Amino acid sequence: MRGGSRIRTVRELRVSILFLAIVAVLPYFVIVPYWRGVLIVAMYFALVSAAWNLLAGYTGQFSLAPAAFAMIGGYGSGLLCYHFGISPWIGIPCGTLAATVIGLMLGRIVLRLRGPYLALTTLAFAEIVRLVISNEYEITRGDLGLSVTPLFEHQLNYYYLFLFLLVVVQIGLYYLVRSRAGLYLQAIRDDDLAASGRGVNVVLWKTVSFAVSSGICGLAGAFYVHFIRLASPELGLILQTGLVIAMVVIGGMGTLIGPLIGAFLVQLSSEALREVGLSHMLFFALTVILFGRFFRSGIWGGIDFLRDKWETRSESKEIMEAGGSE
Amino acid sequence: MLIFDIIVTGLMMGAFYSLMAVGLSLIFGILKVVNFAHGEFFMVGAYTYTLLSLNLGIPLWLALPCSFLLGAVVGWLTERLLMRPLYDKYTTWSVMRDEYAIIVTFGLSLFLINLANQIIGPYPYRGPQLVDWSRIEIGPLMISGHRFVASLLASAMLAAIYLFVRYSRWGKEIQAVAQNRLGASISGINSTRVSSIVFSLCGGIVAFSGGLLAPLFHAYPAVGIFPALKSYVVVVIGGMGSIVGSIAGGLLLGLLESFGAVYISYAYRDTFGFIILMIVLLIRPHGLFGEKVREV
């Protein structure tokens, strides 16, 4: 890592707060309910992407199950609401808890696996969950999905609710990443053997990371289900996971702000492209390949790199002007 | 003779699974990465076979090799354009090669699905059957004619791949690189060329199976997802990187599914494979026949 990872994280937090502040005033300019809805969906994806980024970008656990955990969270709340008429305000914490606990168990199980093995196991898990939900028609109403009660009447309430969640998650992730625990996670990502040699409890922190990430996915999914008023197995499709990966890779993996940039950029421009009549997914898939191939650190990585270059240049200029004294 | 019926159905499906998966396994053997665009090579084959024979009236026995060829071209391009950073020793990606491979092949998969959607459209095309007989009776068994011929072709193809890798010069080079890339390079094998060959071969095989199964699976943009998932299960059961393993794994999965569908639950027949996949990865990560995983 290039120097000053802490300064880097602070900078990322500042930019994300600025970014979210802009999002907060957007409804005053965006009046059309459709586009407000698009922004809410973007915030949902930003939450899931941020959660996946914690796992894949910071801990190096390339899971293919974020969409499945969002689905678990959504169904946790949706089932309680549909069958027992329990208020979403109780159902959503239950859904989140369910996703966290299942994430904890899966994290514990896949502890020893890495790389392609981990990816395949989580993929299998995601498919099993989705197949169970679409097959258990008596309980989950299969592919039709559960219709659930909305949280609010007004769309703007959802908007600020999701914004609030995003701010909380972003600040929470900031404190997590810059804390000792965050350093443990990154040490595990870079080399888990060396990390455990240095006294990091690899088992514990890998599991914690998996559970926290799944919990955030579940939270996002639970709220999202009440926003679209439908819990359906489509939430957990592999293509949804693909979208999340695309967002994080485009924004910048392993950075706080990357998932935010990626989610908003992909979601908004895909709507814009749809209006023009182009296949937006084609465009993003190509972008993901190109970013993966040529700019591994995503958009934020590019910005950061340019900034670093500029700073070093101005620093060295100052040193030159001061007579080159070391 | 229900049980006999189940076994034959399972083995035929198993032969298809083996054929789909063997390419994935070979790629893993060479590069130690999983190709997540595997299913889209299948789609390429299914479309080639279907569209060539339906729209251009090309005879079926010629359309199948065309599937193979186009699949090989796509595989070759994939390797040439996307897989090269994996051999560079001194880049960031050589540290995070698994992530790189997953991201790029996942992106490729999305790209090809949406490309097909854009160019050809989302509607499924039903591939023409290889033979006219709808049913064949063999003793007490009734088998669909196309399935029977297709499973024979699949078995022949599998045998050909096995012999090719085992005895031909290129095949021996593939084995050498799979065992030790550096060692193979030192003994004068062009490992980059071997990777190209493997990718083209695998693309070709999968696309061939796509053409072969087009009458069963049809051809539509997302057709590859199902075969890809089955292939992951097969290579994990059989052990990644082993040809015999993927053949055995495919047959095992086919039998398991046809028995499970009858005796356990028809609705859940697709989950059995995933459950086996998880169990195998957790208990015996190198599969039944595969190489040992060095880092656990």
Side-chain angles (χ1 to χ4, degrees), chain A residues 290-304:
Chain A
L290 290 179
F291 269 69
R293 178 76 175 77
F294 298 109
F295 329 98
R296 133 136 190 53
S297 44
I299 291 178
W300 179 253
I303 297 174
D304 219 28

PDB file of all heavy atoms in Angstrom, chain A residues 290-304:
ATOM      1  N   LEU A 290     -13.064  -4.058 -18.926  1.00  0.00           N
ATOM      2  CA  LEU A 290     -11.975  -3.113 -19.176  1.00  0.00           C
ATOM      3  C   LEU A 290     -11.348  -2.644 -17.867  1.00  0.00           C
ATOM      4  O   LEU A 290     -10.123  -2.567 -17.750  1.00  0.00           O
ATOM      5  CB  LEU A 290     -12.491  -1.908 -19.967  1.00  0.00           C
ATOM      6  CG  LEU A 290     -12.861  -2.232 -21.409  1.00  0.00           C
ATOM      7  CD1 LEU A 290     -13.391  -1.000 -22.109  1.00  0.00           C
ATOM      8  CD2 LEU A 290     -11.644  -2.764 -22.147  1.00  0.00           C
ATOM      9  N   PHE A 291     -12.189  -2.352 -16.874  1.00  0.00           N
ATOM     10  CA  PHE A 291     -11.647  -1.904 -15.584  1.00  0.00           C
ATOM     11  C   PHE A 291     -10.845  -3.026 -14.948  1.00  0.00           C
ATOM     12  O   PHE A 291      -9.753  -2.809 -14.444  1.00  0.00           O
ATOM     13  CB  PHE A 291     -12.774  -1.457 -14.654  1.00  0.00           C
ATOM     14  CG  PHE A 291     -13.077   0.001 -14.774  1.00  0.00           C
ATOM     15  CD1 PHE A 291     -13.650   0.495 -15.923  1.00  0.00           C
ATOM     16  CD2 PHE A 291     -12.779   0.878 -13.759  1.00  0.00           C
ATOM     17  CE1 PHE A 291     -13.931   1.840 -16.053  1.00  0.00           C
ATOM     18  CE2 PHE A 291     -13.043   2.226 -13.871  1.00  0.00           C
ATOM     19  CZ  PHE A 291     -13.632   2.708 -15.026  1.00  0.00           C
ATOM     20  N   GLY A 292     -11.429  -4.219 -14.963  1.00  0.00           N
ATOM     21  CA  GLY A 292     -10.730  -5.352 -14.379  1.00  0.00           C
ATOM     22  C   GLY A 292      -9.390  -5.567 -15.061  1.00  0.00           C
ATOM     23  O   GLY A 292      -8.381  -5.849 -14.433  1.00  0.00           O
ATOM     24  N   ARG A 293      -9.387  -5.388 -16.382  1.00  0.00           N
ATOM     25  CA  ARG A 293      -8.181  -5.682 -17.148  1.00  0.00           C
ATOM     26  C   ARG A 293      -7.140  -4.569 -17.001  1.00  0.00           C
ATOM     27  O   ARG A 293      -5.962  -4.835 -16.853  1.00  0.00           O
ATOM     28  CB  ARG A 293      -8.575  -5.855 -18.622  1.00  0.00           C
ATOM     29  CG  ARG A 293      -7.451  -6.120 -19.583  1.00  0.00           C
ATOM     30  CD  ARG A 293      -6.980  -7.556 -19.478  1.00  0.00           C
ATOM     31  NE  ARG A 293      -5.981  -7.854 -20.490  1.00  0.00           N
ATOM     32  CZ  ARG A 293      -4.721  -7.460 -20.406  1.00  0.00           C
ATOM     33  NH1 ARG A 293      -4.323  -6.764 -19.363  1.00  0.00           N
ATOM     34  NH2 ARG A 293      -3.869  -7.765 -21.360  1.00  0.00           N
ATOM     35  N   PHE A 294      -7.604  -3.313 -17.048  1.00  0.00           N
ATOM     36  CA  PHE A 294      -6.619  -2.228 -17.137  1.00  0.00           C
ATOM     37  C   PHE A 294      -6.535  -1.313 -15.921  1.00  0.00           C
ATOM     38  O   PHE A 294      -5.468  -0.849 -15.579  1.00  0.00           O
ATOM     39  CB  PHE A 294      -6.884  -1.392 -18.384  1.00  0.00           C
ATOM     40  CG  PHE A 294      -6.737  -2.176 -19.644  1.00  0.00           C
ATOM     41  CD1 PHE A 294      -7.831  -2.507 -20.405  1.00  0.00           C
ATOM     42  CD2 PHE A 294      -5.490  -2.632 -20.047  1.00  0.00           C
ATOM     43  CE1 PHE A 294      -7.697  -3.250 -21.558  1.00  0.00           C
ATOM     44  CE2 PHE A 294      -5.348  -3.384 -21.194  1.00  0.00           C
ATOM     45  CZ  PHE A 294      -6.444  -3.682 -21.955  1.00  0.00           C
ATOM     46  N   PHE A 295      -7.655  -0.999 -15.296  1.00  0.00           N
ATOM     47  CA  PHE A 295      -7.563  -0.138 -14.105  1.00  0.00           C
ATOM     48  C   PHE A 295      -8.135  -0.882 -12.930  1.00  0.00           C
ATOM     49  O   PHE A 295      -9.308  -0.735 -12.643  1.00  0.00           O
ATOM     50  CB  PHE A 295      -8.342   1.170 -14.246  1.00  0.00           C
ATOM     51  CG  PHE A 295      -8.440   1.701 -15.627  1.00  0.00           C
ATOM     52  CD1 PHE A 295      -9.563   1.477 -16.400  1.00  0.00           C
ATOM     53  CD2 PHE A 295      -7.402   2.454 -16.141  1.00  0.00           C
ATOM     54  CE1 PHE A 295      -9.653   1.984 -17.670  1.00  0.00           C
ATOM     55  CE2 PHE A 295      -7.495   2.958 -17.410  1.00  0.00           C
ATOM     56  CZ  PHE A 295      -8.609   2.727 -18.178  1.00  0.00           C
ATOM     57  N   ARG A 296      -7.284  -1.626 -12.296  1.00  0.00           N
ATOM     58  CA  ARG A 296      -7.762  -2.485 -11.235  1.00  0.00           C
ATOM     59  C   ARG A 296      -8.373  -1.695 -10.084  1.00  0.00           C
ATOM     60  O   ARG A 296      -9.238  -2.168  -9.381  1.00  0.00           O
ATOM     61  CB  ARG A 296      -6.590  -3.348 -10.790  1.00  0.00           C
ATOM     62  CG  ARG A 296      -6.372  -3.455  -9.344  1.00  0.00           C
ATOM     63  CD  ARG A 296      -6.085  -4.864  -8.959  1.00  0.00           C
ATOM     64  NE  ARG A 296      -6.085  -5.090  -7.540  1.00  0.00           N
ATOM     65  CZ  ARG A 296      -7.045  -4.763  -6.704  1.00  0.00           C
ATOM     66  NH1 ARG A 296      -8.079  -4.152  -7.124  1.00  0.00           N
ATOM     67  NH2 ARG A 296      -6.958  -5.047  -5.430  1.00  0.00           N
ATOM     68  N   SER A 297      -7.943  -0.464  -9.866  1.00  0.00           N
ATOM     69  CA  SER A 297      -8.403   0.229  -8.664  1.00  0.00           C
ATOM     70  C   SER A 297      -9.645   1.073  -8.915  1.00  0.00           C
ATOM     71  O   SER A 297     -10.038   1.838  -8.039  1.00  0.00           O
ATOM     72  CB  SER A 297      -7.280   1.080  -8.102  1.00  0.00           C
ATOM     73  OG  SER A 297      -6.641   1.749  -9.145  1.00  0.00           O
ATOM     74  N   GLY A 298     -10.254   0.976 -10.067  1.00  0.00           N
ATOM     75  CA  GLY A 298     -11.531   1.636 -10.302  1.00  0.00           C
ATOM     76  C   GLY A 298     -11.422   3.140 -10.450  1.00  0.00           C
ATOM     77  O   GLY A 298     -10.336   3.698 -10.550  1.00  0.00           O
ATOM     78  N   ILE A 299     -12.585   3.778 -10.469  1.00  0.00           N
ATOM     79  CA  ILE A 299     -12.608   5.222 -10.682  1.00  0.00           C
ATOM     80  C   ILE A 299     -11.932   5.961  -9.546  1.00  0.00           C
ATOM     81  O   ILE A 299     -11.099   6.838  -9.757  1.00  0.00           O
ATOM     82  CB  ILE A 299     -14.071   5.695 -10.817  1.00  0.00           C
ATOM     83  CG1 ILE A 299     -14.657   5.170 -12.121  1.00  0.00           C
ATOM     84  CG2 ILE A 299     -14.158   7.212 -10.777  1.00  0.00           C
ATOM     85  CD1 ILE A 299     -16.080   5.530 -12.317  1.00  0.00           C
ATOM     86  N   TRP A 300     -12.267   5.572  -8.305  1.00  0.00           N
ATOM     87  CA  TRP A 300     -11.671   6.272  -7.179  1.00  0.00           C
ATOM     88  C   TRP A 300     -10.162   6.055  -7.159  1.00  0.00           C
ATOM     89  O   TRP A 300      -9.398   6.988  -6.871  1.00  0.00           O
ATOM     90  CB  TRP A 300     -12.296   5.825  -5.860  1.00  0.00           C
ATOM     91  CG  TRP A 300     -11.651   6.525  -4.710  1.00  0.00           C
ATOM     92  CD1 TRP A 300     -10.798   5.991  -3.816  1.00  0.00           C
ATOM     93  CD2 TRP A 300     -11.777   7.909  -4.389  1.00  0.00           C
ATOM     94  NE1 TRP A 300     -10.376   6.941  -2.942  1.00  0.00           N
ATOM     95  CE2 TRP A 300     -10.973   8.135  -3.269  1.00  0.00           C
ATOM     96  CE3 TRP A 300     -12.493   8.975  -4.941  1.00  0.00           C
ATOM     97  CZ2 TRP A 300     -10.852   9.388  -2.680  1.00  0.00           C
ATOM     98  CZ3 TRP A 300     -12.375  10.227  -4.358  1.00  0.00           C
ATOM     99  CH2 TRP A 300     -11.565  10.423  -3.238  1.00  0.00           C
ATOM    100  N   GLY A 301      -9.731   4.851  -7.485  1.00  0.00           N
ATOM    101  CA  GLY A 301      -8.295   4.583  -7.545  1.00  0.00           C
ATOM    102  C   GLY A 301      -7.618   5.522  -8.522  1.00  0.00           C
ATOM    103  O   GLY A 301      -6.538   6.047  -8.260  1.00  0.00           O
ATOM    104  N   GLY A 302      -8.277   5.760  -9.663  1.00  0.00           N
ATOM    105  CA  GLY A 302      -7.722   6.657 -10.666  1.00  0.00           C
ATOM    106  C   GLY A 302      -7.603   8.079 -10.144  1.00  0.00           C
ATOM    107  O   GLY A 302      -6.560   8.730 -10.275  1.00  0.00           O
ATOM    108  N   ILE A 303      -8.676   8.541  -9.486  1.00  0.00           N
ATOM    109  CA  ILE A 303      -8.660   9.895  -8.921  1.00  0.00           C
ATOM    110  C   ILE A 303      -7.547  10.013  -7.888  1.00  0.00           C
ATOM    111  O   ILE A 303      -6.763  10.969  -7.882  1.00  0.00           O
ATOM    112  CB  ILE A 303     -10.021  10.212  -8.265  1.00  0.00           C
ATOM    113  CG1 ILE A 303     -11.130  10.186  -9.315  1.00  0.00           C
ATOM    114  CG2 ILE A 303      -9.992  11.562  -7.564  1.00  0.00           C
ATOM    115  CD1 ILE A 303     -12.518  10.337  -8.733  1.00  0.00           C
ATOM    116  N   ASP A 304      -7.481   9.006  -7.031  1.00  0.00           N
ATOM    117  CA  ASP A 304      -6.490   8.990  -5.963  1.00  0.00           C
ATOM    118  C   ASP A 304      -5.077   9.039  -6.518  1.00  0.00           C
ATOM    119  O   ASP A 304      -4.218   9.763  -6.033  1.00  0.00           O
ATOM    120  CB  ASP A 304      -6.681   7.691  -5.168  1.00  0.00           C
ATOM    121  CG  ASP A 304      -6.504   7.927  -3.699  1.00  0.00           C
ATOM    122  OD1 ASP A 304      -6.761   9.065  -3.266  1.00  0.00           O
ATOM    123  OD2 ASP A 304      -6.120   6.982  -3.000  1.00  0.00           O
TER     124      ASP A 304
END
